[in-house]
Amino acid sequence: MPPRKIIIDTDPGQDDAVAILLALASPGEIEVLGLTAVAGNVPLELTARNARMVCELADHAHIPVFAGCDRPLGRALVTAEHVHGKTGLDGPDLPEPSMALQDAHAVEFLIETLRREPSGSVTLCPLGPLTNIATAFRQAPDIIPRVAEIVLMGGAYFEVGNITPAAEFNIYVDPEAADTVFRAGAPLTVMPLDVTHKALVTGPRNEAFRALGTPVGNAVAQMTDFFERFDKEKYGSQGAPLHDPCVTAYLIRPELFSGRHVNVEIETTSELTLGMTVADWWGVTDRAPNATFMGDLDAQGFFDLLTERLARL
Ligand code: BDR
Ligand code: CA
């Protein structure tokens, strides 16, 4: 099978960075057509910078990086410096990027690429708020049936919220965009907190990254060192949850994950539960399934894969 063509839509974020590194380290399975940056964990200027820093860390400065939407469709931007630090990528001391941003807007790149490539050949991998993807779908609905699959990190069901009691960050930041994407009709695979909170970087797992003895291994270990303090304090967990790498790991080893094909809708009006992903896990409604909502993963298999792939960079 030829590698799957993907576009990674991202707001790096230490866990976004690891997701990108995993994709770049896996050319046998994944061909990264480009990265599109969106405002999320930190403002757009920083996510567009961080995305390029990650490409350069991986020695992949040829990957085109596009800046996209700088705010949600209809709301003020909420950011997460309290988790990711002031730059969004706190932890390692990485050089400022020297590769340039592309001139085109991320939304233009999404639309043009989906129109140019054979229908059903491009997978979208959103790792942040869904503003860029929803804007592209609203501006050019003809691209929706051309999408092979959307595999995204977002939402929560049994695990409930991380930014509010009910909502996960990526969906909460732009619930209208999420609603557009979840209703679009493209095949959708969702990595919610239910899964990503099982992808925990324990001490020995982080030591395995460090023991690679490479710039990438060290940077990843330093990123998770920084990123873990928040979740350790909040949840009393053993380490940082690698949310976004679940998306790219799924493209390489889907059998590591299990879930259910169910109806998932986004709350866009209630002040109390704004951005909640209402997943009909138990099939108690007759609403049509629109997403494969993951619930579990083989955590050790995931970390073995990640460590083995990062060693290639
Ligand atoms: C998601 O929010 C961000 O902080 C992370 O990068 C991840 O995409 C987890 O809720
Ligand atoms: Ca992210």
Side-chain angles (χ1 to χ4, degrees):
M1 268 232 299
R4 242 168 118 153
K5 295 179 185 177
I6 71 166
I7 298 173
I8 303 181
D9 187 67
T10 179
D11 63 338
Q14 293 88 351
D15 61 320
D16 301 69
V18 180
I20 295 165
L21 292 170
L22 176 57
L24 296 180
S26 306
E29 294 90 356
I30 298 175
E31 180 186 348
V32 181
L33 300 179
L35 303 186
T36 52
V38 69
N41 286 323
V42 285
L44 180 68
E45 207 183 312
L46 284 170
T47 61
R49 160 196 180 258
N50 296 349
R52 286 176 290 149
M53 281 164 70
V54 175
C55 290
E56 290 186 357
L57 172 66
D59 208 8
H60 277 62
H62 59 281
I63 301 285
V65 178
F66 300 81
C69 300
D70 65 357
R71 77 194 72 158
L73 296 180
R75 297 172 186 275
L77 177 65
V78 175
T79 53
E81 286 88 354
H82 60 294
V83 183
H84 300 276
K86 237 176 40 209
T87 67
L89 212 52
D90 281 19
D93 195 12
L94 297 173
E96 286 298 317
S98 49
M99 63 188 276
L101 266 178
Q102 299 293 310
D103 290 335
H105 190 280
V107 169
E108 221 176 300
F109 171 70
L110 283 161
I111 295 172
E112 277 174 10
T113 307
L114 281 159
R115 283 182 177 158
R116 186 189 62 238
E117 295 289 337
S119 184
S121 69
V122 177
T123 295
L124 302 180
C125 297
L127 310 178
L130 288 157
T131 321
N132 286 342
I133 309 293
T135 305
F137 283 6
R138 288 180 180 199
Q139 272 181 27
D142 58 289
I143 64 175
I144 298 171
R146 303 181 66 83
V147 173
E149 187 179 357
I150 302 170
V151 184
L152 67 84
M153 191 281 138
Y157 185 63
F158 295 101
E159 198 63 10
V160 295
N162 61 355
I163 185 78
T164 74
E168 180 279 330
F169 179 79
N170 289 342
I171 306 295
Y172 176 78
V173 172
D174 199 344
E176 284 75 21
D179 187 48
T180 295
V181 171
F182 276 69
R183 285 182 194 282
L188 186 57
T189 297
V190 179
M191 297 292 167
L193 296 180
D194 307 76
V195 169
T196 68
H197 278 176
K198 293 174 180 140
L200 291 180
V201 189
T202 57
R205 287 171 180 163
N206 211 28
E207 283 321 304
F209 295 146
R210 212 183 300 276
L212 295 175
T214 59
V216 167
N218 282 327
V220 168
Q222 288 164 347
M223 283 183 214
T224 61
D225 278 343
F226 179 86
F227 181 45
E228 72 171 12
R229 88 216 178 287
F230 178 78
D231 283 79
K232 273 185 160 171
E233 257 171 49
K234 179 173 170 193
Y235 296 105
S237 59
Q238 289 175 289
L242 287 184
H243 304 286
D244 295 337
C246 290
V247 167
T248 42
Y250 174 77
L251 301 179
I252 304 166
R253 298 269 316 271
E255 68 281 4
L256 293 174
F257 299 84
S258 58
R260 292 186 182 186
H261 192 56
V262 296
N263 177 272
V264 184
E265 302 202 2
I266 311 295
E267 177 56 61
T268 56
T269 55
S270 155
E271 206 179 305
L272 190 63
T273 58
L274 186 70
M276 184 172 185
T277 42
V278 181
D280 188 6
W281 185 262
W282 301 111
V284 293
T285 73
D286 56 8
R287 297 197 282 259
N290 60 338
T292 300
F293 200 81
M294 293 302 179
D296 208 355
L297 95 157
D298 167 356
Q300 199 48 50
F302 169 85
F303 279 97
D304 290 345
L305 171 72
L306 189 53
T307 313
E308 177 241 313
R309 294 302 163 104
L310 293 179
R312 298 179 179 185
L313 290 174

